[in-house]
Amino acid sequence: MLADSNPLVLSAMSEIFERDPRFSLVATSATAEGFLGIVMRVPVAVGVIDWNLPALGGAKLIEVLRDQEHSPKLVVYGEEAGDLPRLAMTAGAAGFAARSGEVEGLLATCTEVAAGKMVFPFIDVRDLQADPIQTLSRKERVMLEALSKGLTNRELSNELGISTNTVKFHLSNLYDKLSVKNRTQAIAFYYSSRLPGRSE
């Protein structure tokens, strides 16, 4: 299945995949929500998505599908410049194909991903490990985001539906992982990590 917000790209990609006997095109969509709606009902092995899909965006779409059983393996089709391949890999995509590359490159990436491989341009793995935000559990990320709004422990416990003791436990883990000493430093870290181009 293909999802791209640009109708020209979508129709060109559809033609390419329909002409290739290795693939059968299940559906196309111009939005992340449309893509989700179909792959929840129809078996799709591989999805090719645009990173900037409206309205959810590629990162969120990958995150939502990661928790689903039998969800398609996703290939991000985007600009190779900058951080995008690394962001796609960190989000949980199975592959990345550059829009500037040959069409054959996209087809080859999808074939490899369908066979269970991960396909990315060279990424320095040390960069992946250097970002403490990536080590946080989903609960810790939610907590960090709530913390950044200035919520107290009691407000956090109400918002997240957990006891204040559990809040304290999560906060202490959070501070450890971010190597900070208190909530002020954690909030500062959160805002400094939300740099342009970040998907968080």
Side-chain angles (χ1 to χ4, degrees):
M1 178 165 178
L2 311 172
D4 200 292
S5 53
N6 182 328
L8 292 175
V9 172
L10 202 53
S11 74
M13 276 203 300
S14 305
E15 233 171 90
I16 290 157
F17 279 99
E18 277 172 340
R19 278 205 310 262
D20 193 310
R22 295 173 294 177
F23 301 98
S24 64
L25 184 57
V26 176
T28 63
S29 172
T31 66
E33 290 78 358
F35 184 90
L36 259 181
I38 292 171
V39 298
M40 293 297 198
R41 297 193 311 272
V42 183
V44 172
V46 177
V48 178
I49 63 166
D50 166 16
W51 185 251
N52 300 312
L53 267 183
L56 275 180
K60 194 76 188 157
L61 176 60
I62 294 168
E63 191 181 312
V64 171
L65 282 171
R66 231 176 16 203
D67 297 338
Q68 304 299 323
E69 259 192 290
H70 312 304
S71 64
K73 298 180 178 86
L74 296 179
V75 172
V76 172
Y77 187 49
E79 304 303 335
E80 196 173 353
D83 232 8
L84 192 48
R86 185 179 73 82
L87 291 173
M89 179 187 272
T90 315
F96 180 90
R99 282 183 189 256
S100 55
E102 295 292 318
V103 166
E104 197 41 59
L106 174 61
L107 295 171
T109 299
C110 291
T111 312
E112 299 269 284
V113 164
K117 295 184 178 144
M118 284 181 76
V119 186
F120 286 89
F122 175 76
I123 293 172
D124 191 334
V125 185
R126 289 169 304 187
D127 290 347
L128 295 175
Q129 293 155 340
D131 186 353
I133 292 269
Q134 304 307 335
T135 65
L136 302 182
S137 68
R138 177 167 296 186
K139 182 74 101 195
E140 288 161 350
R141 282 181 187 223
V142 169
M143 187 158 282
L144 182 57
E145 203 153 326
L147 202 60
S148 71
K149 296 172 192 157
L151 301 186
T152 64
N153 283 5
R154 175 164 290 159
E155 288 167 333
L156 284 171
S157 89
N158 291 340
E159 174 140 325
L160 303 171
I162 54 180
S163 74
T164 47
N165 281 341
T166 309
V167 167
K168 286 176 189 161
F169 170 76
H170 281 307
L171 285 178
S172 116
N173 282 346
L174 191 61
Y175 299 162
D176 277 354
K177 287 184 180 178
L178 299 180
S179 307
V180 298
K181 293 187 172 61
N182 54 41
R183 62 204 301 136
T184 312
Q185 289 181 353
I187 293 168
F189 186 97
Y190 174 77
Y191 282 111
S192 72
S193 74
R194 291 176 68 86
L195 298 168
R198 290 299 299 262
S199 65
E200 256 43 81

